[in-house]
Amino acid sequence: MKTPVAQPAPTPAASVSEFIATFAVILGVIVALLLFDTALARVDIRGRKSYAAREFRTGEQLLSQGKTEQAIEHLRTASTLDGDNSAYGTALAQAILADGRPDAAEEMLLPLLERNPTDGAANLAMARVLAKEEGTEEAKSYYHRAIYGLWPQGAHENRTAARFELIDLLARTNAKQELLAELLPIQDDSTNTKAQRMSIAHLFVVAGSPSRAVAIFRELLRRDKPDADAYVGLAEAALSLGDFATARADLLLAQKLTPEDTSLQARISVTDSVIALDPTQLGLSQPEQYRRSRNLVQMTLAFTRKCLAAQAPQVAVALDSASALLVSPAPADGRAQSIQQALSVAQSLWGLQRTRCAPAPADGVLALIQNRIAQ
């Protein structure tokens, strides 16, 4: 008798509706897991951003207290946690610059500027780095980018600060034409404070435009009570214009307002010396003009010999000409011509030393007289 063979169990068949329902459940679980994971990621991002913001605030506080090393650690944490916030990286770079490491600060700013070339704060930080590294021309370029760049907050204030930093750089490097070009757009800005207007006026003197400085100082004196700094500024402008008597009068007014300022007496003494030595002063007799012009040649010759170590041919000719002029006195009827000749020789000597020697102090007696003659 044969043993019956067991038949395999029939494969369960699912209906279409059951398949769809099962697929929907699986898909729902997947979506739910994705949403949960996204929510966790968002919570994590918010947490990191919040922690980064706290670290940034702590770093800024420490920096304001002069605790640079501690501030750098907190700012670095903030920048690491929230790399998308360029303000953190910029602040860190500026702290590193304050710590005396301009190279490291520059390396940190380069990727920030590659990512966003119009970032005003990053451009300003780079300008400061380059100015510290004596990269003056490049620094000027980044200052301009900061002035015309994008600032999420406080755009006007930050752009003004950047412009004044650029102006300070131009004044320190004696870039008079560029300095004047930066001063002109802001001289009539109604948002300028009194201190800023005073600074602008002083800088106009440095830029070689003393008449504009006089106008600003006069306006300040009309609007406000008498101010010693304004009178000192007027004196500086008058000296630059060669009006020594007016400069002395303004310095005396400043001294009356601030008698405790001992530096004013030194300035008055310089002005007195200039008035006593200037051969072009109105009202002088011809003999006195002659005496002063020869004295000016002697002073300029002594100053030139001090700084000119190498006796180049053109230098030797000028020195010999000056020496010969001093040796041979002019007859009474030829003094007018001799005075002009002496002034010309003095100017030639002064021009030689300006091209070959370190700049002479602009407020020195000799420099002031030479400047007046040149005018």
Side-chain angles (χ1 to χ4, degrees):
M1 186 176 177
K2 293 182 179 180
T3 304
V5 179
Q7 298 294 322
T11 302
S15 66
V16 173
S17 60
E18 288 174 334
F19 174 78
I20 292 173
T22 302
F23 181 76
V25 169
I26 294 171
L27 183 62
V29 171
I30 293 172
V31 171
L33 288 173
L34 288 173
L35 291 174
F36 181 69
D37 185 61
T38 302
L40 285 178
R42 287 176 178 172
V43 169
D44 179 61
I45 291 172
R46 283 198 299 269
R48 284 191 292 110
K49 285 183 176 292
S50 177
Y51 184 56
R54 289 197 299 272
E55 287 293 289
F56 174 71
R57 288 192 296 270
T58 301
E60 290 282 271
Q61 290 172 359
L62 289 169
L63 201 59
S64 66
Q65 296 168 7
K67 300 176 181 178
T68 308
E69 291 185 9
Q70 293 173 305
I72 288 173
E73 294 307 315
H74 288 277
L75 292 172
R76 181 175 283 113
T77 300
S79 180
T80 302
L81 290 173
D82 190 359
D84 293 333
N85 193 327
S86 63
Y88 297 166
T90 301
L92 175 59
Q94 296 201 86
I96 290 173
L97 175 63
D99 195 42
R101 291 180 285 154
D103 291 341
E106 183 177 357
E107 288 180 9
M108 182 160 294
L109 289 167
L110 285 173
L112 295 178
L113 288 168
E114 287 177 4
R115 190 169 63 195
N116 186 3
T118 61
D119 187 322
N123 277 294
L124 179 56
M126 182 62 87
R128 290 168 175 167
V129 167
L130 293 169
K132 193 79 171 179
E133 294 178 326
E134 302 300 329
T136 305
E137 292 304 317
E138 287 184 279
K140 292 176 189 177
S141 174
Y142 279 99
Y143 272 123
H144 281 119
R145 294 179 195 179
I147 292 168
Y148 299 107
L150 299 178
W151 295 86
Q153 295 178 340
H156 178 75
E157 293 79 3
N158 286 310
R159 286 170 180 157
T160 300
R163 190 182 292 276
F164 272 99
E165 285 190 30
L166 172 59
I167 285 171
D168 180 64
L169 174 65
L170 296 172
R172 284 188 284 110
T173 54
N174 200 33
K176 291 186 177 183
Q177 290 300 318
E178 293 175 87
L179 176 59
L180 184 60
E182 293 298 330
L183 290 171
L184 290 173
I186 63 171
Q187 65 174 328
D188 297 323
D189 190 338
S190 59
T191 64
N192 289 334
T193 64
K194 179 182 177 181
Q196 286 174 331
R197 292 200 300 274
M198 192 82 74
S199 176
I200 289 169
H202 281 289
L203 288 165
F204 267 126
V205 177
V206 177
S209 184
S211 57
R212 287 188 172 90
V214 170
I216 296 174
F217 285 127
R218 292 294 183 201
E219 181 188 3
L220 288 168
L221 288 169
R222 280 196 302 268
R223 288 185 179 183
D224 302 314
K225 62 182 181 180
D227 187 295
D229 287 340
Y231 281 117
V232 170
L234 282 173
E236 290 176 352
L239 286 172
S240 182
L241 289 166
D243 189 353
F244 305 136
T246 298
R248 188 179 191 280
D250 287 328
L251 287 171
L252 288 174
L253 288 171
Q255 190 178 50
K256 285 181 180 179
L257 293 171
T258 55
E260 70 282 359
D261 187 350
T262 56
S263 67
L264 289 175
Q265 185 55 53
R267 295 189 183 203
I268 293 170
S269 297
V270 169
T271 307
D272 288 340
S273 297
V274 172
I275 292 172
L277 295 169
D278 178 20
T280 65
Q281 185 180 336
L282 294 176
L284 295 177
S285 65
Q286 190 178 76
E288 180 63 12
Q289 284 182 305
Y290 176 71
R291 185 189 69 80
R292 291 189 181 195
S293 65
R294 288 171 65 86
N295 189 31
L296 177 64
V297 172
Q298 190 171 16
M299 291 172 60
T300 310
L301 181 60
F303 185 84
T304 304
R305 277 178 171 158
K306 278 184 181 179
C307 75
L308 291 177
Q311 296 297 314
Q314 61 269 40
V315 175
V317 169
L319 295 179
D320 291 343
S321 175
S323 300
L325 180 68
L326 294 173
V327 169
S328 56
D333 58 353
R335 282 183 176 174
Q337 181 179 354
S338 181
I339 290 169
Q340 293 303 316
Q341 184 183 3
L343 295 181
S344 177
V345 169
Q347 282 280 281
S348 297
L349 289 172
W350 190 251
L352 280 175
Q353 69 82 25
R354 287 183 65 182
T355 59
R356 295 169 177 269
C357 308
D363 57 353
V365 172
L366 190 56
L368 290 170
I369 295 175
Q370 292 282 1
N371 181 58
R372 177 182 169 110
I373 294 171
Q375 294 175 10

